[in-house]
């Protein structure tokens, strides 16, 4: 295959956003913006209640990456931030003794690049002190762990830089134009579907109101995992929601 | 080939040093120390007249990487710092329009890893505002450029992190134990040889005292390039120096 043209490269990179979930230090946001900009990634999303200190961000971003800060999108919660994205990647620290994580940034990028033709991709990074929670990870189709030596905790901006570097490297040196990839359902559509599925499951008392919250969460997470593996397309999500709605309507009429 | 054992991995990483040439900000030194430590690289060398602010470094290094700062080696000049190293890598920014640099960190690491069995390796990073000079690069056997989009100027610590990541990735996932690689001459031996060669060339008036300094430099740089390509071993350097010394002695006696 032919290497990508500059236009193809830019079109692919325009589909990617870096999402920082509750970053503590504005300096890290600025440094992450610079690292992303070096690799042609120009969308930065911050999930946080208060706007970060502009001056502290700008100092680390340098004036070259200030455009990312001007366009920085701030959201109070992750689900709203992810609504338009159909491929969500969660970054996590290497686990315990597993010296060679199977899902390195390089492996992740190989899977994600073919999807860029038809899908918007969000790469999530957790807060400095603890990383992403399981609750954050439930939105993620893929995960990515940077291999490290004993000391596993990476600086947030360096983790962003390494991921953006791998993505850019993969686009630049990888095989040519992305294969025709399916247009997957976006987070907004998927979350709507999960709401409908949960309603249906409560209706048939598969999920029970009186039950400990953890147990219902357990089943919903299993269902998320099951659907997560299916590469659901938008029209399929619509069909599943249609079925749920019809079922709920039918039940209501029957009882009413 | 078999993947490396942890002991082999550690032995290889122990041969590597990150050399920061005149870094301006102590925070960047600390952040670079952390990035190196994440990837098992534990030698940090700073070439700078004054010792950097310890507190500013430590804040960015976090307490996990403070050991690197405790062992930080400070040198007033690059040649002294590089004396024990036989493989020196210079990192440079991507040049102008060359979108796909041939000497990426990944390509460099492939060349350097087999040499780690018998050689100490220094990876050089220039100051934040201008990078390495041609004078710094004359010590370098290899160069490495991180591919970037339009905005080519990387944060110093992020450039260190990306290089250490590639090195660690290459050691972890690359082919097994390094092939038997030659023990190359160290910078100390090479610089001694170049001194002897220059003396000889002045003696025979190939280099001329009266000449513009730039012209002599031009010839010496050509000679450095020529010898640089030869992968000179310690014993070969000794032989070349022996010849130079003998020639100079002979000339002196003949004239004396």
């Amino acid at each position: 295959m032919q290497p990508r043209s500059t236009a193809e490269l830019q079109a692919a990179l325009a589909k990617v956003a870096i999402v920082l979930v509750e970053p503590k230090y504005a300096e890290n946001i600025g440094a992450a913006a610079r690292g992303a900009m070096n690799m042609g990634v120009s969308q930065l999303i911050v999930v946080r209640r208060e706007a970060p200190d502009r001056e502290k961000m700008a100092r680390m971003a340098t004036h070259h990456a200030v455009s990312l800060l001007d366009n920085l999108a701030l959201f109070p919660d992750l689900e709203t931030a992810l609504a338009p994205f159909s491929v969500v990647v969660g970054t996590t620290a290497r686990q315990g003794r597993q010296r060679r994580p199977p899902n390195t940034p390089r492996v992740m990028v190989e899977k994600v690049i073919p999807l860029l033709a038809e899908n918007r991709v969000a790469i999530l990074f957790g807060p400095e002190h603890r990383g992403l929670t399981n609750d954050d990870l439930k939105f993620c189709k893929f995960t990515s762990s940077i291999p490290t030596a004993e000391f596993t905790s990476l600086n947030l901006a360096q983790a962003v830089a390494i991921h953006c570097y791998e993505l850019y490297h993969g686009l630049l040196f990888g095989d040519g134009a992305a294969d025709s990839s399916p247009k997957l359902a976006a987070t907004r559509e998927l979350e709507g579907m999960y709401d409908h599925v949960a309603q249906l499951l409560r209706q048939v008392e598969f999920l029970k109101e009186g039950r400990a919250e953890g147990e219902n969460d357990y089943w919903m997470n299993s269902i998320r995992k099951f659907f997560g593996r299916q590469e659901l397309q938008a029209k399929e999500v619509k069909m599943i929601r249609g079925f749920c709605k019809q079922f709920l309507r039918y039940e209501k009429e029957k009882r009413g």
Side-chain angles (χ1 to χ4, degrees), chain A:
Chain A
M1 280 189 252
Q2 291 301 302
R4 281 177 186 77
S5 69
T6 302
E8 283 171 326
L9 193 68
Q10 285 170 347
L13 290 165
K15 298 262 185 67
V16 178
I18 297 301
V19 181
L20 305 180
V21 180
E22 291 174 34
K24 197 170 167 194
Y25 301 107
E27 290 86 347
N28 281 338
I29 304 173
R34 178 174 176 179
M37 186 77 173
N38 285 138
M39 301 301 156
V41 173
S42 58
Q43 283 181 77
L44 188 61
I45 294 174
V46 170
V47 177
R48 196 168 119 149
R49 298 224 158 264
E50 312 94 62
D53 186 296
R54 165 85 195 191
E55 203 181 308
K56 285 180 181 169
M57 285 195 295
R59 202 181 313 138
M60 292 303 289
T62 77
H63 69 274
H64 295 285
V66 151
S67 62
L68 261 79
L69 303 181
D70 293 336
N71 299 325
L72 190 148
L74 190 70
F75 288 93
D77 69 285
L78 184 57
E79 186 174 333
T80 314
L82 293 179
F85 294 93
S86 44
V87 175
V88 182
V89 179
T91 60
T92 61
R94 173 174 78 78
Q95 291 304 302
R97 280 148 187 258
Q98 175 201 45
R99 209 180 58 154
R100 293 152 62 105
N103 50 344
T104 60
R106 202 163 299 168
V107 168
M108 177 277 287
V109 153
E110 269 175 34
K111 292 178 189 161
V112 162
I113 285 178
L115 297 172
L116 279 172
E118 292 292 341
N119 297 284
R120 289 182 66 188
V121 174
I123 309 179
L124 269 55
F125 297 84
E128 291 88 341
H129 57 297
R130 62 158 170 78
L132 295 172
T133 62
N134 286 337
D135 216 46
D136 301 332
L137 288 169
K138 75 181 185 198
F139 297 107
C140 298
K141 184 167 190 63
F142 302 110
T143 59
S144 171
S145 298
I146 296 175
T148 65
E150 286 303 295
F151 173 35
T152 60
S153 163
L154 283 112
N155 167 273
L156 174 57
Q158 290 178 15
V160 171
I162 287 171
H163 276 90
C164 291
Y165 161 76
E166 278 288 358
L167 177 70
Y168 190 73
H169 203 291
L171 283 166
L172 201 56
F173 292 94
D175 284 339
D179 304 330
S180 61
S181 64
K183 183 164 166 38
L184 304 180
T187 300
R188 183 192 293 114
E189 295 153 342
L190 283 173
E191 292 303 314
M193 182 189 79
Y194 290 129
D195 274 351
H196 267 122
V197 169
Q199 275 182 50
L200 184 149
L201 294 177
R202 272 195 300 272
Q203 179 67 46
V204 300
E205 295 179 1
F206 182 92
L207 299 182
K208 292 188 182 122
E209 296 298 333
R211 217 186 238 167
E213 199 47 43
E215 207 172 333
N216 285 339
D217 285 352
Y218 171 81
W219 289 113
M220 279 310 295
N221 279 332
S222 301
I223 287 164
R224 278 174 176 277
K225 269 188 196 145
F226 167 75
F227 280 121
R229 278 203 309 274
Q230 312 300 319
E231 309 233 320
L232 287 177
Q233 296 180 23
K235 59 184 177 188
E236 293 166 332
V237 164
K238 220 167 170 175
M239 187 188 68
I240 294 168
R241 294 184 73 173
F243 164 75
C244 293
K245 274 192 271 190
Q246 176 52 30
F247 178 89
L248 292 166
R249 199 180 301 130
Y250 171 80
E251 275 291 306
K252 202 176 160 190
E253 277 171 14
K254 208 177 88 176
R255 286 194 285 163

